[in-house]
């Protein structure tokens, strides 16, 4: 056959296939049913995950708030032992991340997410009783282990409910819990630091007790709220369950398998793309974790009191939450990821460059403005990257 004719026939056949798929999607998906089921998912699953991740972030970042209230002095930490505490947390986070994510795949997010949350809630509460570096280290190691797979597990769980054009904005909504934690963590810390310590506790101990106990209560409630999968979603009708399954299946254009398969898990690392995602994932994780752990400490450099320092962390974090939602929605709306990751990265670079080059104690306004740039750019990259990878 003439190559040109053969090419024309192939192109026509491919065009007919694409048209067939498009017609199948249009005919299979009833938009009214989709809007209704999506609203139910948005009102039940998403807020639950957002609240869970808020307390996940509070239990991670409360060490920074406690440091402003004398944790280092009360526990007699030496020179770099505070930084070592942070390092121990992230070493456990890296080592056990794949283990905890695999645990979610095997046992389902309904079981794994509340179990992880209950465990790191207990470890966080126990920090209140720590009197030395050893006690703090033991608690932070346990928090790091059980928090390690939480974010990946939530993204995996959301991918079973939302399509590609919906997931970035939904990840942003639950991930904004981390940003809100930075904002309201300062307010909570301010309130708890007004309590007069007694019973051998320090003023910062009450912060760990409150946030850790609330974390445990929310973990128990989450077990009864989160369904295992679409087929077991108690809040969806039979028709809505069928539609939810159909739109996920058509959107992915492949059969989704919930069973753990080692060959599939390992195959990701046999391509350059898998390793590229590892490198990018390491890079995008630096900024949000720096913000979570050092926002209060960066604000301390402005020379304010403990009370003002924790209150002054609220505005940058709240602004960051607003930008996170706007950029993630825009990424879904325009179906673009790269540009929406680069822009916030540039803002963070500007913020940290200012903090490095300016004497913030004498130029408080410029220093405080730079913190806004740092927090605004810290979070969108991680959310959009998670949506892209998922």
């Amino acid at each position: 056959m003439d190559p040109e004719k053969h090419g024309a026939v192939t192109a026509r056949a491919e065009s007919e296939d694409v048209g067939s798929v498009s017609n199948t999607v249009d005919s299979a998906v009833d938009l009214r049913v989709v809007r209704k089921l999506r609203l139910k998912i948005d009102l039940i699953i998403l807020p639950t995950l957002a609240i869970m991740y808020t307390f996940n972030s509070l239990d991670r970042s409360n060490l920074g708030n406690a440091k402003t209230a004398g944790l280092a002095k009360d526990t007699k930490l030496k020179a770099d032992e505070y930084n070592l505490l942070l390092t121990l947390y992230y070493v456990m986070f890296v080592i056990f991340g794949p283990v905890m994510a695999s645990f979610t795949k095997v046992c389902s997010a309904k079981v794994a997410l509340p179990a992880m949350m209950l465990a790191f809630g207990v470890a966080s509460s126990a920090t209140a009783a720590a009197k030395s570096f050893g006690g703090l280290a033991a608690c932070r190691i346990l928090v790091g282990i059980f928090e390690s797979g939480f974010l990946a597990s939530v993204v995996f769980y959301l991918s079973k409910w939302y399509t590609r054009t919906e997931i970035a904005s939904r990840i942003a909504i639950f991930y904004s819990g981390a940003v809100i934690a930075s904002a309201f963590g300062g307010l909570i810390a301010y309130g708890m630091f007004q309590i007069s310590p007694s019973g051998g506790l320090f003023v910062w101990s009450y912060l760990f007790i409150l946030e850790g106990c609330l974390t445990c209560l929310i973990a128990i409630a989450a077990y009864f709220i989160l369904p295992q999968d679409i087929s077991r979603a108690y809040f969806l009708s039979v028709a809505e369950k069928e539609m939810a399954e159909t739109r996920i299946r058509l959107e992915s254009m492949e059969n989704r398998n919930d069973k753990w398969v080692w060959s599939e898990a390992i195959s990701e690392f046999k391509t350059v793309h898998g390793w590229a995602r590892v490198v990018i994932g390491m890079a995008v994780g630096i900024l949000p974790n720096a913000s979570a752990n050092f926002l209060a400490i960066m604000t301390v450099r402005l020379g304010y009191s403990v009370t003002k320092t924790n209150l002054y962390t609220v505005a940058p974090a709240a602004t960051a939450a607003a930008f996170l939602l706007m950029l993630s929605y825009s990424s879904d709306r325009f179906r673009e990821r790269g540009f929406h990751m680069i822009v916030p990265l540039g803002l963070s670079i500007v913020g940290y460059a200012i903090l490095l080059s300016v004497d913030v104690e004498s130029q408080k306004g410029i220093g405080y403005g730079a913190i806004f740039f740092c927090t605004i750019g810290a979070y969108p990259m991680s959310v959009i990257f998670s949506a892209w990878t998922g």
Side-chain angles (χ1 to χ4, degrees):
M1 180 184 289
D2 184 4
E4 292 185 2
K5 291 182 179 179
H6 176 70
V9 170
T10 302
R12 186 163 58 250
E14 290 176 352
S15 177
E16 289 173 356
D17 288 342
V18 172
S20 175
V21 169
S22 179
N23 291 334
T24 301
V25 173
D26 291 339
S27 61
V29 176
D30 186 329
L31 295 180
R32 289 174 300 178
V33 177
V34 167
R35 280 193 292 268
K36 188 175 179 181
L37 72 88
R38 191 165 53 200
L39 179 62
K40 288 182 178 180
I41 297 169
D42 286 344
L43 293 178
I44 296 174
I45 291 179
L46 209 52
T48 303
L49 293 175
I51 293 170
M52 293 173 75
Y53 198 63
T54 297
F55 280 87
N56 171 282
S57 301
L58 283 173
D59 289 337
R60 184 191 317 154
S61 61
N62 52 15
L63 199 67
N65 294 111
K67 188 175 187 292
T68 67
L71 175 140
K73 180 181 178 181
D74 294 336
T75 56
K76 298 179 175 59
L77 295 184
K78 297 176 183 178
D80 293 324
E81 286 185 338
Y82 175 78
N83 290 331
L84 182 56
L85 288 174
L86 299 180
T87 302
L88 287 172
Y89 170 89
Y90 286 109
V91 168
M92 297 300 106
F93 200 91
V94 171
I95 293 174
F96 286 91
V99 177
M100 289 299 170
S102 301
F103 171 60
T104 302
K105 179 75 174 178
V106 173
C107 298
S108 83
K110 175 181 176 62
V111 174
L113 289 174
M116 285 188 277
M117 192 173 186
L118 186 64
F120 65 68
V122 170
S124 182
S125 297
T127 309
K131 298 293 192 294
S132 64
F133 171 78
L136 290 173
C139 292
R140 296 311 289 180
I141 286 172
L142 290 174
V143 171
I145 289 172
F146 292 109
E147 284 193 352
S148 61
F150 200 82
L151 175 58
S153 298
V154 171
V155 173
F156 166 71
Y157 186 58
L158 285 175
S159 70
K160 299 172 69 173
W161 298 87
Y162 293 105
T163 63
R164 294 176 197 167
T165 56
E166 300 165 349
I167 196 165
S169 54
R170 266 63 181 195
I171 292 176
I173 290 171
F174 97 80
Y175 197 86
S176 62
V179 195
I180 292 169
S182 296
F184 290 97
L187 288 175
I188 294 171
Y190 166 73
M192 299 309 293
F193 293 163
Q194 308 309 306
I195 299 175
S196 299
S198 62
L201 297 176
F202 302 109
V203 67
W204 46 265
S205 300
Y206 298 96
L207 179 65
F208 289 101
I209 292 171
L210 175 67
E211 293 179 354
C213 290
L214 287 176
T215 298
C216 294
L217 291 175
I218 291 167
I220 295 169
Y223 176 78
F224 295 100
I225 295 173
L226 296 176
Q228 184 170 334
D229 51 36
I230 292 174
S231 65
R232 295 175 178 84
Y234 56 88
F235 51 84
L236 296 179
S237 66
V238 174
E240 288 168 344
K241 289 177 183 178
E242 292 176 354
M243 186 59 63
E245 293 279 10
T246 298
R247 76 192 197 103
I248 295 297
R249 185 171 60 253
L250 290 173
E251 213 277 343
S252 64
M253 293 302 169
E254 60 182 77
N255 292 324
R256 298 169 67 88
N257 183 8
D258 288 335
K259 294 182 179 179
W260 176 261
V261 181
W262 272 108
S263 59
E264 291 182 1
I266 296 173
S267 66
E268 174 71 5
F269 298 98
K270 294 180 180 179
T271 68
V272 67
H273 303 92
W275 291 105
R277 280 192 285 273
V278 169
V279 174
I280 296 172
M282 291 173 62
V284 302
I286 292 173
L287 293 176
N289 288 307
S291 180
N293 288 303
F294 296 106
L295 177 58
I297 297 171
M298 285 191 290
T299 312
V300 164
R301 289 185 59 202
L302 300 178
Y304 296 119
S305 65
V306 173
T307 300
K308 274 194 173 183
T309 293
N310 284 285
L311 289 177
Y312 273 44
T313 61
V314 175
T319 305
F323 272 84
L324 168 63
L325 293 172
M326 287 190 293
L327 280 167
S328 300
Y329 176 80
S330 174
S331 177
D332 271 354
R333 174 70 178 78
F334 293 102
R335 303 187 129 201
E336 197 282 330
R337 305 301 189 202
F339 179 77
H340 286 82
M341 292 170 64
I342 293 171
V343 170
L345 173 61
L347 291 175
S348 275
I349 290 174
V350 170
Y352 282 108
I354 293 172
L355 289 177
L356 285 170
S357 59
V358 173
D359 181 6
V360 296
E361 290 187 13
S362 60
Q363 296 177 291
K364 288 184 171 62
I366 294 176
Y368 193 50
I371 291 174
F372 276 82
F373 278 93
C374 293
T375 55
I376 287 171
Y379 299 98
M381 280 188 65
S382 184
V383 169
I384 296 169
F385 175 71
S386 295
W388 175 40
T389 303

